[in-house]
Amino acid sequence: MKTIAVAGTFDTKGKEFLYVKELIEELGLKAYMINTSVFDSKIEVDVSNKEIAKEAGYDIEDIVSRRDRAMATEVLSKGMELLIPRLYAEGKFDGIISFGGSGGTSLVTPAMRALPIGVPKMMVSTMASGNVSQYVGTSDIIMMPSIVDVAGLNKISKTIFKNAVLAIAGMVGMADKIKKVEEDEKPLIAATMFGVTTPCVDFAKEYLEERGYEVLVFHATGTGGKTMESLIDAGFFKGVLDITTTEWCDEIVGGVLGAGPNRLEAAGRNHVPQVVSVGALDMVNFGPIDTIPEKFKNRNLYKYNPTVTLMRTTVEENIKFGQKIAEKLNASSGKTVLILPLKGVSMIDAQGQPFYGSKEDEALFDTLKNNIDADKVNIVEMDNNINEKAFAQRAAEELIKMLEV
């Protein structure tokens, strides 16, 4: 029988979670009840809080005696993160759902993120109407607003609970109704793209796919880079075409699309062949023009659209980008090629365009060439703008060359 794991604080919300359990069973599915609360559950459970705490190396009684809510949440969250993937691997459940406020959401979502992509996971939360990146991360968690607090059964909460259960029941119970897609044996390639590097990636993608590869494109908006890195770590890709490393601009200068300090590490760490370029390192991303920090008001700004404002990077900033990228690539334990477009790193970094900057680009290229370890990284220089077909094809050819050795 298909099974849905129901995780939550059954000590204070036993009535609500019992209602969820009954809805699941009414649909002909089994509910696998997991108590994430500090105190004993008010309803029968399949996994106790004692088991969860033990997974994290703690005794639940000790946690109770400390009366430290933050510490309890941290321990139970860590226990869930370790326990839930194992229970799934053992076939205990087919999907997972939880309901909660900020505390409950923070407690369960790390465990959901630890599950493989494709496993149905739904978090009904009071936090779902805001920025949920801290809860979803690079996973495929579905966040559903609870509308009212998860506290009591009423006309609104019952409607939300019912819809949430129907949604995950559909994902779990109806999965076999859709014809299974046959496994495609084509090797997977990850590629990074931005609006201003789209022609390059489109050309390279077409070239690779004509030669038997499948290319998955990630939008280099912070989340895109993080997601790609996590999937490389998970072993999805045979090669990486990291054309667009612009997320380092935001990470270093302070824009809104940074991908964190570990960008450009996964391929090298996992011996995955990679071709890296400097796509869109001419720009830092901000929101609407009136949100630009005061210290940047006099910089070269470009209104890309009503919600996105770009800022041209300086010589000094490009030196920093070059140093950081060289540091990351020099740490690679796999095959790496760095390919440089000497006539511009984006669509608007070309003669006559608003971000054209030969001095800025030269600072970037010189820094990279002076800091890259030539024994580890092969540098290819192309007398093209990044979006010219010759550049894109050469990037694809260099990747294929490493993959087919």
Side-chain angles (χ1 to χ4, degrees):
M1 181 184 293
K2 294 287 186 178
T3 301
I4 298 173
V6 181
T9 51
F10 297 168
D11 58 345
T12 58
K13 305 182 190 304
K15 180 171 62 175
E16 294 87 340
F17 281 104
L18 182 59
Y19 178 72
V20 170
K21 178 177 185 288
E22 291 169 351
L23 289 175
I24 291 170
E25 291 174 345
E26 189 176 341
L27 293 171
L29 304 172
K30 181 181 177 182
Y32 186 73
M33 307 299 285
I34 303 172
N35 179 29
T36 65
S37 59
V38 176
F39 300 102
D40 290 339
S41 171
K42 294 181 178 179
I43 59 178
E44 187 177 345
V45 302
D46 297 286
V47 178
S48 68
N49 53 358
K50 182 177 182 180
E51 294 173 75
I52 297 170
K54 183 179 179 182
E55 193 70 26
Y58 286 82
D59 184 278
I60 193 66
E61 298 302 328
D62 181 45
I63 295 173
V64 171
S65 67
R66 295 193 188 194
R67 297 182 179 276
D68 185 336
R69 178 183 173 87
M71 178 263 191
T73 300
E74 183 178 350
V75 168
L76 290 166
S77 179
K78 176 54 65 176
M80 284 284 287
E81 190 175 1
L82 296 170
L83 183 61
I84 290 300
R86 191 172 78 243
L87 293 174
Y88 174 75
E90 292 172 358
K92 300 294 186 183
F93 62 89
D94 303 286
I96 183 169
I97 190 171
S98 185
F99 301 75
S102 60
T105 305
S106 298
L107 199 158
V108 178
T109 50
M112 291 181 173
R113 293 196 299 268
L115 289 168
I117 288 176
V119 177
K121 14 182 137 51
M122 174 169 284
M123 183 73 228
V124 181
S125 171
T126 59
M127 309 302 291
S129 61
N131 181 1
V132 298
S133 59
Q134 62 182 313
Y135 305 118
V136 176
T138 59
S139 75
D140 57 343
I141 297 171
I142 296 173
M143 295 281 290
M144 180 176 179
S146 63
I147 307 300
V148 294
D149 197 4
V150 184
L153 296 174
N154 53 63
K155 184 176 182 178
I156 293 177
S157 67
K158 283 183 176 182
T159 299
I160 299 300
F161 291 172
K162 179 182 177 182
N163 285 343
V165 168
L166 286 170
I168 195 163
M171 287 184 276
V172 169
M174 301 293 288
D176 297 336
K177 302 294 183 181
I178 297 177
K179 184 178 179 181
K180 187 176 181 181
V181 178
E182 294 183 9
E183 291 294 325
D184 196 332
E185 297 301 321
K186 292 180 181 179
L188 289 180
I189 304 295
T192 50
M193 187 172 78
F194 220 43
V196 292
T197 61
T198 297
C200 173
V201 178
D202 282 348
F203 285 138
K205 180 175 183 288
E206 182 180 0
Y207 188 88
L208 287 162
E209 291 182 343
E210 286 174 351
R211 285 151 184 81
Y213 296 91
E214 183 176 352
V215 181
L216 275 63
V217 178
F218 295 86
H219 203 189
T221 55
T223 300
K226 290 178 184 177
T227 302
M228 184 185 75
E229 297 274 330
S230 69
L231 292 178
I232 294 169
D233 276 329
F236 278 85
F237 298 109
K238 296 296 183 184
V240 177
L241 191 68
D242 205 346
I243 293 294
T244 313
T245 47
T246 185
E247 288 154 321
W248 279 113
C249 297
D250 295 71
E251 186 66 26
I252 290 173
V253 180
V256 297
L257 300 181
N262 303 120
R263 182 73 171 84
L264 268 179
E265 292 181 1
R269 180 170 55 243
N270 292 283
H271 313 286
V272 177
Q274 60 179 336
V275 171
V276 178
S277 192
V278 289
L281 284 178
D282 56 328
M283 58 189 64
V284 181
N285 292 266
F286 294 102
I289 199 160
D290 59 0
T291 67
I292 300 291
E294 189 63 35
K295 62 181 178 179
F296 297 136
K297 292 287 187 180
N298 295 322
R299 293 278 292 271
N300 181 2
L301 303 175
Y302 179 71
K303 188 176 179 181
Y304 188 69
N305 62 43
T307 61
V308 176
T309 306
L310 309 176
M311 180 178 77
R312 194 10 165 144
T313 55
T314 65
V315 166
E316 294 73 21
E317 288 163 354
N318 275 278
I319 290 171
K320 292 179 182 179
F321 306 152
Q323 291 170 337
K324 178 57 69 175
I325 290 172
E327 173 195 324
K328 296 295 181 180
L329 298 187
N330 287 342
S332 173
S333 58
K335 300 173 184 177
T336 300
V337 170
L338 173 65
I339 182 166
L340 303 177
L342 301 183
K343 288 189 175 179
V345 303
S346 85
M347 192 181 293
I348 58 174
D349 177 30
Q351 282 195 328
Q353 294 299 312
F355 277 6
Y356 178 62
S358 57
K359 290 182 179 179
E360 292 87 349
D361 291 350
E362 185 177 348
L364 172 65
F365 301 148
D366 287 347
T367 303
L368 284 164
K369 289 185 285 186
N370 292 334
N371 287 274
I372 285 289
D373 183 346
D375 292 329
K376 291 187 174 182
V377 181
N378 181 30
I379 298 180
V380 175
E381 298 180 62
M382 295 287 291
D383 194 28
N384 302 100
N385 180 275
I386 197 167
N387 287 306
E388 292 181 40
K389 191 171 184 178
F391 181 88
Q393 182 171 319
R394 180 65 182 273
E397 288 172 343
E398 290 291 336
L399 185 58
I400 291 172
K401 193 187 304 181
M402 290 188 286
L403 291 168
E404 297 185 353
V405 170

